[in-house]
Amino acid sequence: MNQPWFPQQIIQRTVTVAMVLLLLRLPTAAADDVLWLAEPAGNWEKEAFPLGNGRLGCMVFGGIEEEHLQFNVDSLWTGDENLEGDYRAPGMGFYQNFGDLYVAFDTKGPVADYRRELNISRAVCRVTYEQDGTTYVRETCCSYPDQVIACRMAAGAGGKYSGRIRLVGAHEEKTTAKQNRLAFTGALTNGMAYEAQVLFTVEGGTIEPNGGTLVFSGCDSLTMILAAGTDYIMNYTRQWQGDHPRALVTSQVDRAAGRDYPALLASHVADHQSLYHRVAIDLGETEVSQLALPTDKRLEAIRNGTADPDMDELLLQYGRYLLIACSRPGTLPANLQGLWNNRNDPPWHADYHSNINLQMNYWLAETANLAECHRPLFDLLTASLEPFRKVTKLSYGENIRGFTIRTSHNPFGGMGWKWNIPASAWYAQHFWEHYAFGQDKVFLEEVAYPYLKEVCQYWEDHLKELPDGRLVAPNGWSPEHGPTEDGVSYDQQIIWDLFTNTIEAAQTLGVDADYRQTLSRLRDRLVGPKIGRWGQLQEWMEDRDDPKDQHRHVSHMFAVYPGRQISLSKTPEFAKAAAVSLEARGFGTVVGWANTWKTALWARLLNAENAYTYFHKEVSANAYPNLWNGCWPGRVFQIDGNFGITAGAIEMLLQSHAGEIHLLPALPQAWATGSVKGLRARGGFEVDIQWQAGALTKATIRSQQGRTCRLYTRVPVAVLNRGQRIEVEGLEEGVIAFPTEEDQSYVVVSE
Ligand code: FUC
């Protein structure tokens, strides 16, 4: 805005300069988890830093002559229900880039002390540098409470900001400039309406529109507020379409711009930390000299053999950070790229893939204490039920009960590539797990159980009887690996899991006693896991696994992780066979999600060093400088690996799938001494663990629901509550049990 110069602005200018100096004097708190690079980002997927509020996301480049923020909204999709059922059909659609914001600065010349950091403890990206004797600071966040991206650009001296702002839509929209606001609006080929607006306020100086851009001059600071939205609503009966987003986007911008930036930032940080700080991790000490390096150089040193347990911690927390940033109540679930995408034809459509990827995105949600971030998955799957049923009927006949899913799907219930028949049952596991951890009976009754039961009905009607009376899933396919045939282990194991979870759900709710019996009889007749000629866990009914086969999918290990049909304590022979198969798959693969699945599998098989080998591969081979995971080395970012590595690492520290809480089940030598706080175990427990020289020293188990706690322990332990030792019951070998009260803590110490 053009404003005359008057004394109040002198005061403001002094305040701005003082704030910058204060910001600069405030070093990043030592305890904060930070990624940082000493250069602006050149490459979107490897170097730019992601921010997000579950729905709206951006990538910060941090350029010196020009700041670049690329942004997305999770629902900006082409496509529809895709009744053609072909992934190449326009109905499958693609997740779209929304647009880019460029702020070009007139100041030129060399810079010193450039630093671009992503503080994941605060979810704030900060760029600082010195140019011509002046310190510049830019801070960007993406707020969930305010639903905007906010960026504050300040300098250690007044009047330093002059330049031009461009807002560029990714679909050739015309950007309009009015006063201090830029906006564009558009509609995709499927009719989806969308709009983005950005508003800049300046202190000192002027800002004015100029041919679709904003020009600013002599400003002390700039504060940007960007909002964007689409008319998508997660409601099939309304054809997924709500109101035009203009009114909401305008009010989001106006409301946020009317707030003080420090207040907006403070509520953003408080919101983020209410989730982020639930978990704290210490896996050892990194040398100060290694710690001082920028993240890319740190990764390089790790590749050259430097130990860096703090990087392991960072990667583990980064998965949590990313889930908070791309999956919050009310948003779409995390797609193959979370919610970040700079193309209109992203790899694999940046869709929802059901044969490992979408599930892996949520493997950490419960254990890493982010249960509410799991909700978008249930919301979309529930909202998609009608179109899923419809497409199932179109393919399998009108009289079908239940539904099944293809390998890829979009936010309109439209499906793409190849049937993945047990996918709906695998998804059902997530509904059950959300209950198993949090014990929310209302969710179980109203959301989870109806879903599980409907998928069971599909399988009741589809299981095929063999001449000997056993049951198999017909025409299955071990994903992306085997031929189409009956009784594929992947199908059999997932159906076992579905029936088991549904039986337990019905028991918990005290409903459907007869149906429980039916499911239980069906489950007993399923063809179960088989051990083949070289001691391996068979991938198919026929014993034809090739010991030299190193395929990336390990679908026949579902029963080990994320399933629970096979465990060392309950089914040791099958667990040993799974280890033989996994060993044969080799340690050579560098496909991101495959490594992280193997981390979790080896953790479940209690082989700490193998689990760590795969974990470490993710750090050394697949982590880009921004710590995003390269699915295939050197190309194609895919976020499942980031989520999978966190889930896998947690499985090394705590397990609870086999009926007992198992502390430190697969602790590797690299993490000999450390602690973790706030992990979750099934049954409604939160767990803190401390250990030294590879051995448990103390654990605290907080009971949230007052359930009996069953604990697996290899060494004798004492259990204390309110400082008093309590009686424990010895069960089978290594397992103790004790009753708990709701909201009470129980301290476990080795004797
Ligand atoms: C599965 C994998 C591929 C890729 C794709 C998105 O189909 O087999 O490697 O991750 O999903």
Side-chain angles (χ1 to χ4, degrees):
M1 274 167 285
N2 271 320
Q3 280 169 349
W5 181 248
F6 60 96
Q8 198 192 336
Q9 283 181 312
I10 299 179
I11 300 169
Q12 252 178 12
R13 173 167 288 185
T14 318
V15 171
T16 305
V17 172
M19 265 180 60
V20 169
L21 296 176
L22 190 74
L23 259 178
L24 291 173
R25 261 202 305 276
L26 278 179
T28 301
D32 280 0
D33 300 320
V34 171
L35 290 66
W36 76 276
L37 295 168
E39 284 174 354
N43 179 296
W44 179 86
E45 72 175 335
K46 295 185 178 147
E47 293 162 3
F49 284 145
L51 296 169
N53 67 10
R55 181 188 68 85
L56 177 67
C58 78
M59 297 292 285
V60 183
F61 284 71
I64 294 161
E65 297 197 353
E66 181 171 70
E67 177 56 283
H68 175 193
L69 303 179
Q70 181 276 328
F71 61 96
N72 290 103
V73 170
D74 62 358
S75 54
L76 193 73
W77 272 82
T78 56
D80 52 37
E81 262 180 272
N82 197 27
L83 294 179
E84 277 181 67
D86 184 329
Y87 73 101
R88 288 156 303 207
M92 181 55 201
F94 280 93
Y95 179 36
Q96 302 291 294
N97 180 13
F98 209 119
D100 298 85
L101 181 87
Y102 301 96
V103 184
F105 307 110
D106 287 352
T107 39
K108 304 276 181 265
V111 303
D113 297 334
Y114 179 93
R115 180 183 168 102
R116 180 169 53 98
E117 71 170 38
L118 176 62
N119 181 326
I120 63 171
S121 303
R122 291 164 55 79
V124 171
C125 179
R126 193 161 78 156
V127 176
T128 50
Y129 56 89
E130 291 267 331
Q131 191 174 37
D132 197 18
T134 301
T135 303
Y136 291 83
V137 183
R138 265 179 246 155
E139 223 178 43
T140 313
C141 69
C142 187
S143 161
Y144 181 71
D146 280 282
Q147 291 293 314
V148 295
I149 300 166
C151 176
R152 167 122 176 137
M153 306 181 181
K160 290 285 177 188
Y161 280 106
S162 299
R164 183 183 292 272
I165 301 160
R166 288 182 300 136
L167 178 68
V168 184
H171 299 85
E172 297 180 355
E173 301 85 351
K174 182 174 167 0
T175 297
T176 58
K178 226 178 182 177
Q179 293 185 321
N180 53 347
R181 191 184 303 244
L182 297 175
F184 68 79
T185 190
L188 296 178
T189 44
N190 60 2
M192 180 183 284
Y194 59 91
E195 175 145 339
Q197 293 183 20
V198 64
L199 184 143
F200 276 78
T201 44
V202 302
E203 287 171 325
T206 60
I207 185 162
E208 57 189 21
N210 182 318
T213 69
L214 297 176
V215 174
F216 55 97
S217 174
C219 305
D220 303 340
S221 72
L222 309 173
T223 304
M224 178 213 86
I225 301 292
L226 187 152
T230 73
D231 66 4
Y232 175 87
I233 49 169
M234 216 184 271
N235 187 335
Y236 175 67
T237 56
R238 290 182 57 192
Q239 294 297 299
W240 313 98
Q241 196 168 29
D243 298 333
H244 191 283
R246 177 162 312 143
L248 184 60
V249 167
T250 308
S251 72
Q252 285 165 342
V253 168
D254 290 347
R255 188 177 166 277
R259 296 189 69 186
D260 236 20
Y261 171 77
L264 187 149
L265 179 69
S267 51
H268 158 70
V269 172
D271 164 70
H272 174 73
Q273 294 190 337
S274 69
L275 296 165
Y276 187 83
H277 279 335
R278 288 177 188 169
V279 170
I281 308 156
D282 179 5
L283 299 174
E285 300 305 319
T286 294
E287 292 284 340
V288 177
S289 56
Q290 165 76 357
L291 221 42
L293 296 173
T295 307
D296 53 344
K297 297 284 179 293
R298 229 171 121 179
L299 288 171
E300 212 174 287
I302 292 169
R303 279 176 200 126
N304 293 329
T306 305
D308 190 343
D310 285 34
M311 179 58 83
D312 295 352
E313 290 165 31
L314 188 63
L315 207 65
L316 210 154
Q317 286 287 26
Y318 196 45
R320 297 187 64 250
Y321 165 83
L322 290 170
L323 194 67
I324 298 169
C326 74
S327 186
R328 299 289 294 270
T331 74
L332 278 164
N335 63 42
L336 284 172
Q337 297 186 177
L339 67 65
W340 298 279
N341 164 43
N342 66 341
R343 290 167 52 171
N344 293 335
D345 62 341
W348 289 289
H349 304 238
D351 61 23
Y352 302 109
H353 256 57
S354 67
N355 68 12
I356 178 67
N357 319 88
L358 180 58
Q359 292 93 329
M360 185 177 281
N361 284 359
Y362 287 94
W363 279 354
L364 75 162
E366 301 296 331
T367 55
N369 215 333
L370 296 173
E372 52 278 80
C373 297
H374 213 164
R375 290 301 293 246
L377 178 68
F378 310 130
D379 291 347
L380 181 66
L381 293 178
T382 307
S384 301
L385 277 172
E386 239 349 278
F388 284 169
R389 287 178 189 129
K390 199 159 139 187
V391 175
T392 306
K393 282 189 201 310
L394 280 175
S395 298
Y396 289 89
E398 256 315 298
N399 296 328
I400 283 290
R401 292 191 302 162
F403 63 96
T404 174
I405 304 175
R406 298 172 80 96
T407 303
S408 60
H409 51 102
N410 68 22
F412 316 104
M415 301 193 242
W417 188 60
K418 207 164 167 94
W419 283 106
N420 178 19
I421 303 171
S424 51
W426 191 345
Y427 285 162
Q429 187 198 43
H430 283 254
F431 288 79
W432 167 251
E433 291 280 66
H434 187 64
Y435 169 75
F437 280 87
Q439 306 280 301
D440 176 349
K441 273 204 185 158
V442 177
F443 172 82
L444 184 65
E445 186 182 349
E446 293 178 1
V447 184
Y449 188 62
Y451 188 97
L452 268 78
K453 196 171 165 187
E454 189 173 342
V455 181
C456 284
Q457 285 169 347
Y458 175 88
W459 285 108
E460 262 184 276
D461 297 350
H462 281 83
L463 287 172
K464 176 174 156 186
E465 189 171 329
L466 296 179
D468 62 8
R470 290 177 308 157
L471 298 173
V472 288
N475 301 321
W477 188 53
S478 204
E480 311 199 25
H481 196 195
T484 299
E485 61 187 31
D486 296 348
V488 170
S489 301
Y490 167 73
D491 293 358
Q492 299 298 117
Q493 294 174 7
I494 292 177
I495 297 165
W496 184 95
D497 193 73
L498 169 75
F499 287 171
T500 303
N501 296 340
T502 311
I503 293 165
E504 286 187 26
Q507 255 158 7
T508 308
L509 295 170
V511 297
D512 291 343
D514 292 346
Y515 191 54
R516 263 184 260 160
Q517 295 297 326
T518 307
L519 289 182
S520 168
R521 279 193 296 268
L522 289 175
R523 182 182 58 179
D524 291 347
R525 289 170 61 200
L526 285 173
V527 166
K530 292 173 139 217
I531 299 174
R533 65 194 191 289
W534 45 280
Q536 89 282 13
L537 187 70
Q538 285 180 212
E539 185 162 354
W540 299 278
M541 246 197 328
E542 214 180 290
D543 185 1
R544 82 162 99 83
D545 305 70
D546 175 357
K548 293 204 178 66
D549 179 359
Q550 302 208 335
H551 195 275
R552 64 191 184 286
H553 280 271
V554 281
S555 310
H556 54 314
M557 313 270 175
F558 171 91
V560 179
Y561 183 92
R564 55 181 165 136
Q565 186 179 6
I566 297 178
S567 66
L568 265 173
S569 59
K570 304 283 183 314
T571 57
E573 295 309 318
F574 290 131
K576 281 178 202 142
V580 170
S581 291
L582 204 51
E583 191 91 44
R585 279 293 211 258
F587 289 84
T589 174
V590 280
V591 174
W593 57 260
N595 285 345
T596 63
W597 194 353
K598 289 171 188 169
T599 303
L601 286 166
W602 280 119
R604 283 272 173 101
L605 296 170
L606 309 187
N607 188 324
E609 297 312 321
N610 283 357
Y612 187 71
T613 299
Y614 274 111
F615 177 93
H616 198 261
K617 255 179 196 297
E618 280 309 287
V619 186
S620 60
N622 285 345
Y624 293 149
N626 63 4
L627 295 188
W628 263 358
N629 186 272
C631 173
W632 305 89
R635 64 186 183 95
V636 188
F637 150 61
Q638 215 169 274
I639 207 160
D640 42 21
N642 280 102
F643 294 135
I645 201 59
T646 302
I650 291 175
E651 218 56 36
M652 294 164 74
L653 300 172
L654 176 70
Q655 293 176 13
S656 62
H657 59 287
E660 299 94 37
I661 292 179
H662 191 166
L663 306 168
L664 305 178
L667 188 69
Q669 281 171 14
W671 301 342
T673 295
S675 66
V676 65
K677 181 185 133 319
L679 300 184
R680 283 168 89 235
R682 291 168 186 82
F685 298 102
E686 221 179 77
V687 182
D688 306 341
I689 317 170
Q690 293 172 20
W691 64 94
Q692 247 172 21
L696 172 78
T697 49
K698 180 182 164 189
T700 303
I701 300 175
R702 280 182 295 286
S703 173
Q704 292 168 326
Q705 300 291 334
R707 299 271 306 257
T708 295
C709 180
R710 290 167 59 102
L711 190 68
Y712 175 84
T713 164
R714 278 178 254 188
V715 291
V717 293
V719 181
L720 313 170
N721 171 240
R722 300 179 178 102
Q724 300 293 313
R725 190 183 174 118
I726 62 165
E727 283 290 311
V728 301
E729 191 190 344
L731 302 174
E732 67 255 41
E733 169 121 39
V735 180
I736 58 167
F738 52 91
T740 71
E741 283 174 48
E742 202 177 314
D743 291 330
Q744 279 293 309
S745 290
Y746 297 82
V747 174
V748 180
V749 284
S750 26
E751 288 204 294

